[in-house]
Amino acid sequence: MRIRDLPYSDPGLPDVRSGTRFLVWLGRNQLGGQIKAALWGLLHMGALVCFPLAIGIGVQAVVDRSGARLALAGALMVGLTVLIALGDAMLHRAAVTNWITAAARVQQLLARKTVELGSALTRRVAAGEVVAVSTGDVEKIGWFVEALSRFTAAAITIVGLCVALVIYQPALGAVVALGVPALALAVLPLLPRAARRADEQREKAGRATELASDTVAGLRVLRGIGGEDLFLSRYRRASQEVRTAAVRSARMWSLIAAVQVVLPGMLLIAVVWYGAVLAGSGRIAVGELVTVYSAVTFLLFPLRHFEEIAMAYSFSRPSARRAARVLALRRPSAAIEDVRAAGSGSGISLDAGIDTKPPTGDLYDPATGMLAPSGQLTAVVCGDPDAAGRMADRLGGHPAEDDADSGDGGGAPSALLGGVALDEVPLATARAAVLVQDKDPVLLSGTLTELLDVPRSGAVPPKEALDAAQCGDVLEALGQASVADSGDGDPMGARITERGRSLSGGQRQRLALARSLVTDPEVLVLDEPTSAVDSHTEARIGEGLKRLRTDRTTVVFTSSPLLLDQADRVVFVHDGVAAGVGSHRELLGTDPAYRAVVTREPDSGGERDDDRGGLTDLERIEEQIEESA
């Protein structure tokens, strides 16, 4: 795999049973790149450790006054220098390629998982952890993949050199052969403590990142309530904890590095002392002593890779564990996706026998008994906003498997569309059939044209969607911004900042609604789409929504009387079941629990007068609707 071939057409199906298994899976999928890097590493390190042989030949040639052998030694040095330079350059190239391609594979897997789970991802994993995995953890995993090939080349080189020294000079070679394993294993007792401190540092860093991302996301609210200083002090404390943990971790790794310097130095002293004794007794020549001494000196370079691989593994294992935990999340019924992923790249078409045509018909939630007839606007009133969010997930084919005990049927299967369970069809098919707009939709940075450039049927032009969502004032504001920026005054070309932070909450909500309307899905599920707009705008949005979605299935989670009055059918979900079905006015007059949720008065009674004019709840709401009309 080369960098120019990225992204992968299929990143594969990862082994997420543990962090170590995930790392092994990554290495196995890059076997060709690892072998290539290891071969270049062998060339580089082999030439490096052969340099002492040329030095020894040259020294012995000077002692013996042999010009021919001195020339031979010089030629060897030149040749080995060329091989060292070539091997080093190509090793770096191959190793960095392994790093980048491994990181790209992990990022593609994370992106695929994000697309698969959608908004359910941040409900099951903290947003800060997702950010940490997709940034710092990906880099550490790539580091281990890169270091693995260099370590392999270093290990083979060290073993080969020890064997060669034993053959070349048995007495000194035996000392080196016994000392090198001791050097390589000396740091093992220190690694568990270093790994624990590194884990502690990463854990604290993850919490600090999560706190920072949450603070930035809610900065406008924090400023409104004067909570900036409180959260800033919390982040400062978290940052200081990360600094302290990083210092403690660095101390352990500095100790390991010191051991890697001291012990090889002691081996070198032992070899020189013993070699001097042997040379003094005439058992070895001066050139042989210089050769062994130089070999041990050059041996210190590949030995450093033992420290690097230990550090890389200690840092990457927790990162791989976190990545595996995120990648292990799945839709409760994902058998089709698993079969397709397992067979991808095999040349076998797995679409045979799988109906990828989006289902149509009535939308039914078996957990609550809520039915949304095809082609109608159905409003769902649910007193618990969290339960409404879980229900919206089910309607989109994402049942919340971890909410089985929530009391609202959270562990039940997902919704049925035309009798077909949405969590049992391919994800792309489910999303082609049902579009769910979250309670807090996200606007990406870019122009308004780019915002509305989404897959759509083409039946709803952007202008009609913007009109139905009552975005006139938004277009006017964007047009003024466009005049200031480019001078053309075209609102469609105006820039929208990341997450729409330059807009008010109501403006962001209406643009998100327009984006959902322009896609023209067969089934559209909206979770509180007008919670941030005023009542007059809300009434007009209800009219536009009903007009634009004629003969299309639309489900709106809301408790707003202005939207409820526009619905063809209202379903009241109470204690996890559909407790009432009818029109808004019928339920107001017949269901006290429904009336309590809609009027936001827990003890409201149909005959209790209001202090502002003697009107009952029903009369007051009817009057509000008539005024808005």
Side-chain angles (χ1 to χ4, degrees):
M1 183 71 183
R2 294 171 297 180
I3 296 177
R4 68 167 63 101
D5 298 325
L6 294 176
Y8 291 94
S9 57
D10 176 23
L13 186 64
D15 187 345
V16 294
R17 288 176 290 178
S18 67
T20 302
R21 290 178 181 271
F22 181 61
L23 289 175
V24 171
W25 177 83
L26 275 178
R28 190 169 63 245
N29 277 270
Q30 290 190 308
L31 190 59
Q34 292 291 338
I35 293 175
K36 182 186 296 184
L39 290 176
W40 285 117
L42 281 174
L43 175 63
H44 168 60
M45 297 180 193
L48 191 66
V49 297
C50 285
F51 217 87
L53 178 62
I55 295 174
I57 293 175
V59 171
Q60 193 63 42
V62 172
V63 173
D64 297 339
R65 299 182 182 277
S66 173
R69 279 187 292 162
L70 185 60
L72 174 63
L76 281 175
M77 290 182 185
V78 172
L80 291 173
T81 300
V82 173
L83 292 178
I84 290 172
L86 176 63
D88 191 21
M90 298 307 296
L91 169 62
H92 180 75
R93 178 187 178 94
V96 171
T97 299
N98 289 337
W99 183 345
I100 294 175
T101 52
R105 186 186 296 273
V106 177
Q107 286 179 328
Q108 277 190 251
L109 291 171
L110 291 171
R112 187 174 69 182
K113 185 59 62 176
T114 302
V115 171
E116 175 187 338
L117 296 178
S119 62
L121 175 63
T122 52
R123 295 192 183 104
R124 301 167 71 177
V125 180
E129 182 170 354
V130 176
V131 172
V133 170
S134 60
T135 53
D137 287 339
V138 166
E139 182 179 354
K140 293 180 177 65
I141 292 171
W143 177 27
F144 173 75
V145 173
E146 178 213 11
L148 185 61
S149 56
R150 290 204 300 267
F151 166 74
T152 302
I156 296 174
T157 301
I158 289 173
V159 171
L161 180 61
C162 290
V163 172
L165 287 178
V166 170
I167 296 174
Y168 176 71
Q169 178 45 248
L172 286 177
V175 174
V176 176
L178 293 175
V180 168
L183 296 181
L185 301 177
V187 298
L188 290 183
L190 300 175
L191 288 179
R193 180 177 296 181
R196 284 194 300 269
R197 292 191 178 183
D199 290 347
E200 179 185 357
Q201 176 195 349
R202 281 186 293 274
E203 182 180 354
K204 293 183 181 296
R207 286 201 297 267
T209 302
E210 180 179 349
L211 179 61
S213 62
D214 292 344
T215 301
V216 171
L219 188 58
R220 178 173 294 183
V221 177
L222 291 177
R223 286 175 175 171
I225 63 176
E228 299 163 276
D229 293 338
L230 174 61
F231 276 79
L232 182 59
S233 63
R234 289 182 180 177
Y235 181 75
R236 282 173 176 165
R237 287 196 300 270
S239 179
Q240 289 303 311
E241 290 177 1
V242 174
R243 182 189 64 82
T244 302
V247 170
R248 295 182 71 246
S249 177
R251 286 173 180 168
M252 282 303 304
W253 289 111
S254 63
L255 177 60
I256 292 175
V259 170
Q260 290 289 299
V261 172
V262 172
L263 293 184
M266 295 176 62
L267 175 62
L268 192 60
I269 293 172
V271 168
V272 171
W273 175 80
Y274 187 49
V277 172
L278 294 178
S281 62
R283 294 173 58 184
I284 64 172
V286 175
E288 293 175 334
L289 174 58
V290 172
T291 298
V292 175
Y293 167 78
S294 302
V296 175
T297 303
F298 280 89
L299 192 62
L300 301 183
F301 174 76
L303 274 175
R304 294 175 188 168
H305 292 289
F306 284 77
E307 176 193 352
E308 181 188 14
I309 195 65
M311 184 181 295
Y313 179 72
S314 298
F315 275 86
S316 64
R317 185 171 53 87
S319 297
R321 187 168 60 242
R322 279 198 296 269
R325 185 166 60 246
V326 174
L327 294 175
L329 300 175
R330 56 198 296 269
R331 300 172 71 203
S333 295
I336 291 179
E337 280 80 1
D338 287 349
V339 171
R340 291 168 63 87
S344 59
S346 62
I348 301 175
S349 174
L350 298 177
D351 290 331
I354 297 178
D355 186 10
T356 57
K357 183 179 180 180
T360 58
D362 296 342
L363 182 63
Y364 176 69
D365 179 25
T368 61
M370 190 281 298
L371 175 67
S374 176
Q376 293 188 17
L377 173 59
T378 302
V380 179
V381 177
C382 187
D384 182 0
D386 294 334
R390 291 190 290 267
M391 187 175 174
D393 284 340
R394 288 198 299 273
L395 295 181
H398 292 286
E401 59 182 357
D402 54 346
D403 293 332
D405 300 327
S406 63
D408 66 339
S414 70
L416 305 177
L417 182 59
V420 178
L422 290 174
D423 63 344
E424 294 181 357
V425 300
L427 183 61
T429 303
R431 288 186 171 168
V434 182
L435 173 63
V436 179
Q437 177 177 303
D438 294 332
K439 185 179 303 182
D440 185 22
V442 175
L443 302 183
L444 301 179
S445 60
T447 65
L448 184 56
T449 299
E450 293 170 342
L451 175 70
L452 299 179
D453 185 17
V454 293
R456 57 180 183 264
S457 66
V460 179
K463 184 179 184 304
E464 291 187 15
L466 291 167
D467 289 342
Q470 298 299 308
C471 295
D473 63 320
V474 185
L475 294 176
E476 182 179 352
L478 290 176
Q480 294 174 355
S482 179
V483 170
D485 293 341
S486 59
D488 58 5
D490 182 13
M492 302 301 291
R495 299 290 302 179
I496 299 174
T497 58
E498 187 265 337
R499 297 183 68 90
R501 299 189 190 280
S502 58
L503 305 172
S504 68
Q507 290 174 329
R508 287 197 302 271
Q509 206 169 51
R510 283 177 282 161
L511 285 180
L513 176 60
R515 181 179 58 187
S516 299
L517 292 175
V518 81
T519 62
D520 189 37
E522 182 67 28
V523 179
L524 177 60
V525 179
L526 304 171
D527 189 0
E528 295 289 353
T530 59
S531 59
V533 301
D534 60 81
S535 59
H536 295 286
T537 304
E538 189 174 36
R540 292 194 293 270
I541 288 176
E543 295 171 356
L545 182 63
K546 187 172 184 178
R547 180 183 66 255
L548 201 62
R549 294 287 299 171
T550 301
D551 298 329
R552 292 288 198 182
T553 306
T554 308
V555 179
V556 182
F557 287 87
T558 183
S559 59
S560 168
L562 300 172
L563 288 183
L564 294 172
D565 197 55
Q566 295 288 340
D568 300 313
R569 173 187 178 94
V570 178
V571 179
F572 176 48
V573 177
H574 185 61
D575 291 335
V577 296
V581 180
S583 70
H584 170 56
R585 296 171 185 264
E586 290 172 352
L587 292 175
L588 272 178
T590 61
D591 194 330
Y594 174 84
R595 185 165 56 250
V597 173
V598 172
T599 61
R600 295 170 177 81
E601 296 180 8
D603 298 323
S604 64
E607 303 300 328
R608 183 170 58 81
D609 288 346
D610 187 270
D611 295 335
R612 293 171 296 163
L615 298 177
T616 65
D617 296 329
L618 176 60
E619 292 170 340
R620 189 175 68 254
I621 293 172
E622 289 177 346
E623 182 179 278
Q624 182 184 11
I625 294 173
E626 291 173 358
E627 289 177 353
S628 299

